[in-house]
């Protein structure tokens, strides 16, 4: 059973566009929702994270929108750049205890010049 | 990736061979994890360790064993490698609720 569903699998935008990646979760006990960015040949790196007590969080050009009632959250990249081309993973976990992260399947983003 | 070191970076095994993937941290955190990454499958948890001397199964533990003999190191062992274990393996360290996980740079394993 896939606990975090991510879409789309791949996304191509032009420089300056606003790619949006969506995730949906099933377990209402999840209380921590990070996004990771991965470049080819590298390990994933934490990009931004949100907790369910807020509906939006911004860090630079990256914004997470969170809809607790719909059990959905999304990543928006404002003014996207070719350097943003990477694979993005959403994830979820329950804070406290082992805090295992459950990942979505990833979205490969390509930003064309 | 600073703080988490994985060795080797690349490995080719023949079916039935065994090997151990090594992971070491220099950040003094308790929780460590092994994930595998396959195309279109995202990252799937193999095993994790909440502290020195403790380990527990994740989503896809079959065919693997782990060892956490001290706080610094968490190793993943394939006793009898199978082609289905061809993957990229990542070790991760939980660096806190705000900082999430720090991942190593990965081990690309091919089983032929």
């Amino acid at each position: 059973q896939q606990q975090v569903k991510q879409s789309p699998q791949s996304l191509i935008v032009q420089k300056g566009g606003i790619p949006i990646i969506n995730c949906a979760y099933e377990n209402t006990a999840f209380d921590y929702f990070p996004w990771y960015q991965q470049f080819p040949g590298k390990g994933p790196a934490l990009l931004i994270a949100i907790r369910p007590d807020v509906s939006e969080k911004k860090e630079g050009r990256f914004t997470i929108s969170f809809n607790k009632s719909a059990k959905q959250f999304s990543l928006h990249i404002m003014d996207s750049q070719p350097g943003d081309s990477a694979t993005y993973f959403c994830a979820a976990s329950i804070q406290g205890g082992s805090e295992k992260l459950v990942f979505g399947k990833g979205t490969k983003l390509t930003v064309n010049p | 990736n600073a703080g988490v070191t994985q060795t080797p970076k690349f490995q080719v095994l023949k079916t039935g061979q065994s090997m151990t993937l090594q992971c070491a941290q220099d950040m003094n955190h308790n929780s460590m994890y092994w994930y595998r990454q396959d195309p279109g499958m995202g990252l799937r948890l193999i095993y994790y360790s909440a502290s020195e001397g403790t380990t527990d199964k994740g989503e896809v533990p079959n065919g693997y064993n782990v060892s956490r003999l001290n706080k610094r190191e968490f190793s993943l062992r394939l006793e009898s490698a199978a082609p289905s274990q061809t993957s990229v393996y990542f070790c991760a360290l939980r660096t806190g609720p705000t900082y999430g996980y720090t991942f190593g740079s990965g081990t690309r394993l091919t089983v032929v």
Side-chain angles (χ1 to χ4, degrees):
Chain A
Q1 182 183 13
Q2 186 183 358
Q3 296 193 60
V4 179
K5 294 183 179 181
Q6 183 172 347
S7 62
Q9 275 191 316
S10 62
L11 187 55
I12 301 173
V13 299
Q14 293 299 119
K15 177 182 176 182
I18 306 175
I20 300 172
I21 304 171
N22 299 299
C23 285
Y25 63 96
E26 299 166 1
N27 188 346
T28 55
F30 286 145
D31 58 2
Y32 176 68
F33 302 90
W35 285 87
Y36 283 79
Q37 180 188 53
Q38 183 182 32
F39 294 106
K42 303 292 186 181
L46 180 64
L47 186 63
I48 185 173
I50 196 168
R51 297 187 185 279
D53 52 347
V54 297
S55 60
E56 186 176 275
K57 183 175 181 180
K58 292 182 180 181
E59 287 189 5
R61 296 183 294 105
F62 299 91
T63 299
I64 300 179
S65 297
F66 187 83
N67 185 328
K68 188 175 181 179
S69 61
K71 295 188 288 185
Q72 296 175 345
F73 58 111
S74 60
L75 177 70
H76 298 62
I77 305 175
M78 308 301 289
D79 187 28
S80 59
Q81 302 296 313
D84 296 328
S85 297
T87 299
Y88 293 81
F89 294 95
C90 62
S93 71
I94 302 170
Q95 297 292 279
S98 65
E99 302 194 21
K100 296 177 290 183
L101 273 176
V102 178
F103 286 86
K105 293 187 175 183
T107 297
K108 184 177 181 180
L109 172 66
T110 302
V111 181
N112 289 324
Chain B
N1 293 24
V4 182
T5 302
Q6 285 186 241
T7 55
K9 293 189 182 300
F10 301 93
Q11 184 71 48
V12 178
L13 288 179
K14 294 182 179 179
T15 298
Q17 286 185 319
S18 63
M19 79 161 296
T20 299
L21 282 65
Q22 305 286 355
C23 176
Q25 58 144 325
D26 59 6
M27 301 174 73
N28 200 36
H29 290 287
N30 285 317
S31 297
M32 298 183 76
Y33 308 81
W34 276 105
Y35 283 86
R36 62 178 287 174
Q37 183 176 19
D38 303 290
M41 298 297 291
L43 292 144
R44 294 181 292 170
L45 182 64
I46 305 171
Y47 271 93
Y48 66 98
S49 171
S51 62
E52 175 184 342
T54 69
T55 61
D56 209 344
K57 296 178 180 179
E59 179 185 357
V60 288
N62 291 344
Y64 306 95
N65 285 301
V66 290
S67 177
R68 182 87 182 272
L69 296 179
N70 54 62
K71 192 172 187 178
R72 183 173 176 272
E73 298 170 305
F74 187 35
S75 60
L76 178 71
R77 183 162 178 84
L78 287 70
E79 292 291 351
S80 179
S84 61
Q85 294 178 305
T86 293
S87 187
V88 181
Y89 292 86
F90 287 101
C91 177
L93 175 69
R94 185 172 72 83
T95 52
T98 305
Y99 304 109
Y101 286 13
T102 295
F103 282 83
S105 57
T107 295
R108 183 173 294 274
L109 175 67
T110 301
V111 183
V112 297

